[in-house]
Amino acid sequence: MTKHSLSRAFAVGAALCLPASSAFTANLTLNTTSSQSEIDAEYGGAILAQELSGKYANCTVLYEGGVTRGDLQRFHALFGYDGESFYNGLPDGATLCFNSPGGDLYESLVIVDFLRDAFADLQTYVADGDLCASACSNLFLAGAHTFEGESYETIAMRAIAPTARLGVHAPRIVLPDDGETYDAEEVAAVYDEAIRDSSLLFAFAQKVDDEGTPYLTPYLYARSIETPPHAMYYVDTVGDALFAKVAVTGISYSVTLDRQLINTICDNVFLMDDGAFSWALAPTWKPHPLAGLADIWAEFMEIVSLELPENQSEDGPFYTSDLKIEQRDGAIYGHRRGYRTGGPYGAEDCVVRLDTSREVGETANFGTPRTAWDARSRHPIDVRIGYQAPRSPYSDPEPQHVRSPYAYWQTLQQDQDNHLHSYAALMLFPMIQFLSDLPVAPEEPIEAAATTESTDTQSLTCDDLWYHRNRIFHENGYCFSSERGIATFGNDSCFTKSPEISGRDAELLKIIKQGEKDLGC
């Protein structure tokens, strides 16, 4: 690789240079079979060498321990930064894993700035049972994949395992507790540092990737500011992960196709909404734009309670509350009608389409995300929003199409002013469900089948096999023409309708196709 000049000087980072004898609390470990002496020769003794295994087997680099002053120099060494240029010798798609209680907020934020300016191309991950809290969360949230071509394009790419603990809280001022007294100048200096760190955190909350995704979303920033320094707010529910825009991997998008699923999806759609539909007459129905999940849920339940018979006026207006699901034309359609988003002035209907040939009452698997990339590519939930005008006992009967989710969908689809909304597969689960309670993915990914004699695919569904087969085509540049293929993988990076598939991918395709044949897919 060639060296790249940085676009701006690291004046802040340069001021943090420490003597080589300074102690580091954290270790930065490179997953390698090279000896420690070989790694020392390349990175100047700043990086540990170890062949990682178990839950760290897919980590390129492991950051373990507290965040302390001087850690920036470890990242300088990792990327060969000499004050003017850097060198990225890590493999494409490198993953930086964390197990850290946090530490120095300022140090974490200058490392974030360095990684961003160096186009570091480091995805981030917190494994099952591991902790990434406080200052560590900033390093984690800075995870991104960088596409290098005529220019750089950076996409946020971070993931946690279901039992990982990603935590945030407010910054704090630390003074030695040794009975000393401090004069005004010393206290002012500490206060100035606190203001500086808070301003840097705020600046981080304004940064977005090249698709407009915030690294530190307003939702998570608000949780960090409102949570006292002695406490911790953990991203531990489906809603937290969705609002923080953090992928959850190692789970299975396996759900039962029933009315409860449609209800869950529709509730989630309106919980995620911040005025995108026609909620009331205000710009948002939420208590305030940065409300936490507990407050949002309480407010939402009040809106839903308006549908109850005891809360209806005898004189109207009246709205239809209905929940249905059906299988039509190779897809599941469902609707949940009667969300009282406009108080007495209107209601909205949520109409859902799921691309699966499974029948109502059966279990469908919409994928098993093992990386942030997998989670990012799974948007199997399509939704359209219909509107109910106020009705009275003297109103004409409702149109026939609203009685069938399929017919309702077809009608809305023909309306040029009606918009299609697509959602990530995590929306299949209730907002308040704990991540640790989500279905766990099988331990062995399908790719492992290519290295064994077994061709047993009976534990996988047709949807699983479809996804893995088409992922191979996608990774080999295939341009999809089907609605399902485009919705799942997109065609942004495609270049052929006839990809050349050979070697390990060809072997795996044979196994997948045999599995589809056995299942009658």
Side-chain angles (χ1 to χ4, degrees):
M1 291 187 181
T2 57
K3 284 195 171 187
H4 302 273
S5 294
L6 291 173
S7 59
R8 60 179 177 226
F10 291 96
V12 174
L16 293 177
C17 292
L18 298 178
S21 60
S22 295
F24 293 96
T25 303
N27 287 322
L28 204 58
T29 303
L30 185 66
N31 189 355
T32 179
T33 56
S34 299
S35 67
Q36 186 64 57
S37 60
E38 291 173 317
I39 296 302
D40 286 344
E42 184 173 357
Y43 296 106
I47 309 295
L48 294 181
Q50 182 181 343
E51 185 174 8
L52 301 175
S53 59
K55 62 184 179 181
Y56 301 130
N58 294 321
C59 301
T60 311
V61 183
L62 173 63
Y63 184 100
E64 199 166 24
V67 182
T68 58
R69 294 293 170 99
D71 284 356
L72 175 63
Q73 277 58 58
R74 292 187 178 275
F75 285 94
H76 282 178
L78 185 64
F79 289 95
Y81 178 59
D82 59 8
E84 295 182 357
S85 59
F86 70 92
Y87 175 84
N88 189 349
L90 299 178
D92 291 339
T95 300
L96 173 61
C97 299
F98 293 97
N99 188 17
S100 168
D104 193 301
L105 172 63
Y106 179 74
E107 190 74 0
S108 72
L109 292 171
V110 295
I111 293 173
V112 164
D113 279 344
F114 170 74
L115 295 176
R116 186 191 53 166
D117 287 356
F119 298 101
D121 192 19
L122 273 179
Q123 302 175 45
T124 52
Y125 178 67
V126 184
D128 270 317
D130 282 355
L131 172 70
C132 181
S134 189
C136 176
S137 66
N138 298 322
L139 299 176
F140 167 82
L141 292 169
H145 177 63
T146 299
F147 300 90
E148 183 179 352
E150 294 182 2
S151 62
Y152 290 98
E153 182 181 1
T154 300
I155 307 298
M157 201 68 61
R158 337 41 92 87
I160 58 175
T163 63
R165 292 175 296 157
L166 175 64
V168 298
H169 62 183
R172 63 174 177 159
I173 297 176
V174 180
L175 291 172
D177 186 17
D178 53 8
E180 294 281 335
T181 58
Y182 304 95
D183 59 33
E185 185 176 345
E186 290 174 313
V187 173
V190 173
Y191 177 78
D192 288 344
E193 285 193 6
I195 294 298
R196 176 203 63 191
D197 292 355
S198 296
S199 66
L200 287 174
L201 184 61
F202 177 77
F204 181 44
Q206 311 311 305
K207 292 182 173 67
V208 298
D209 69 7
D210 287 321
E211 290 187 341
T213 300
Y215 289 100
L216 173 57
T217 65
Y219 175 87
L220 198 56
Y221 178 61
R223 304 291 78 73
S224 69
I225 295 301
E226 73 184 11
T227 304
H230 60 271
M232 193 70 68
Y233 186 95
Y234 289 106
V235 176
D236 58 5
T237 65
V238 168
D240 286 327
L242 288 168
F243 284 117
K245 296 189 181 300
V246 170
V248 183
T249 60
I251 62 173
S252 173
Y253 297 136
S254 182
V255 291
T256 301
L257 301 172
D258 57 14
R259 295 168 72 249
Q260 182 58 46
L261 175 64
I262 300 301
N263 191 74
T264 293
I265 292 172
C266 289
D267 281 357
N268 287 349
V269 165
F270 285 106
L271 283 163
M272 287 291 290
D273 171 55
D274 192 28
F277 307 131
S278 62
W279 284 94
L281 301 177
T284 175
W285 62 272
K286 296 178 181 178
H288 59 84
L290 301 181
L293 184 58
D295 293 333
I296 294 172
W297 184 262
E299 188 81 4
F300 182 73
M301 287 298 101
E302 288 188 18
I303 293 174
V304 171
S305 70
L306 294 174
E307 302 174 29
L308 300 176
E310 59 266 29
N311 293 329
Q312 301 285 334
S313 169
E314 293 183 1
D315 300 325
F318 300 106
Y319 301 95
T320 301
S321 295
D322 193 14
L323 179 61
K324 290 182 178 179
I325 184 173
E326 61 183 333
Q327 166 63 248
R328 294 284 294 274
D329 291 350
I332 287 290
Y333 293 86
H335 67 216
R336 162 77 161 83
R337 302 189 62 210
Y339 285 95
R340 297 291 295 274
T341 56
Y345 307 107
E348 288 182 316
D349 301 336
C350 165
V351 189
V352 179
R353 182 184 187 276
L354 300 172
D355 196 355
T356 175
S357 59
R358 294 283 177 174
E359 296 294 331
V360 174
E362 294 183 347
T363 298
N365 191 321
F366 291 91
T368 50
R370 301 187 183 278
T371 68
W373 273 111
D374 291 342
R376 173 186 170 81
S377 66
R378 302 300 292 158
H379 286 77
I381 305 169
D382 289 338
V383 172
R384 293 184 182 274
I385 303 298
Y387 178 73
Q388 288 191 48
R391 300 177 63 248
S392 73
Y394 308 103
S395 298
D396 293 333
E398 288 191 300
Q400 192 74 19
H401 69 262
V402 300
R403 300 181 182 181
S404 160
Y406 173 77
Y408 203 164
W409 179 275
Q410 298 300 320
T411 301
L412 293 175
Q413 189 175 35
Q414 295 170 12
D415 182 356
Q416 294 182 351
D417 294 327
N418 189 273
H419 300 289
L420 176 67
H421 305 270
S422 295
Y423 295 94
L426 196 58
M427 293 271 283
L428 294 165
F429 304 103
M431 281 272 184
I432 57 176
Q433 183 168 341
F434 286 109
L435 300 178
S436 58
D437 293 334
L438 293 174
V440 178
E443 289 187 8
E444 184 182 64
I446 188 171
E447 288 84 349
T451 62
T452 69
E453 294 290 327
S454 174
T455 59
D456 181 17
T457 56
Q458 294 180 359
S459 61
L460 299 170
T461 67
C462 287
D463 288 321
D464 283 330
L465 295 170
W466 179 93
Y467 174 77
H468 287 292
R469 172 169 54 80
N470 283 281
R471 186 177 69 174
I472 293 174
F473 280 95
H474 171 64
E475 291 172 348
N476 283 273
Y478 181 73
C479 296
F480 291 91
S481 56
S482 69
E483 182 179 345
R484 183 181 185 184
I486 294 172
T488 303
F489 301 101
N491 280 332
D492 291 344
S493 59
C494 77
F495 54 86
T496 181
K497 293 290 289 184
S498 302
E500 296 182 4
I501 300 175
S502 59
R504 182 170 171 270
D505 282 347
E507 295 175 7
L508 186 55
L509 272 179
K510 292 180 181 179
I511 295 173
I512 295 173
K513 290 178 178 178
Q514 182 61 48
E516 290 178 312
K517 182 179 179 180
D518 293 342
L519 289 176
C521 299

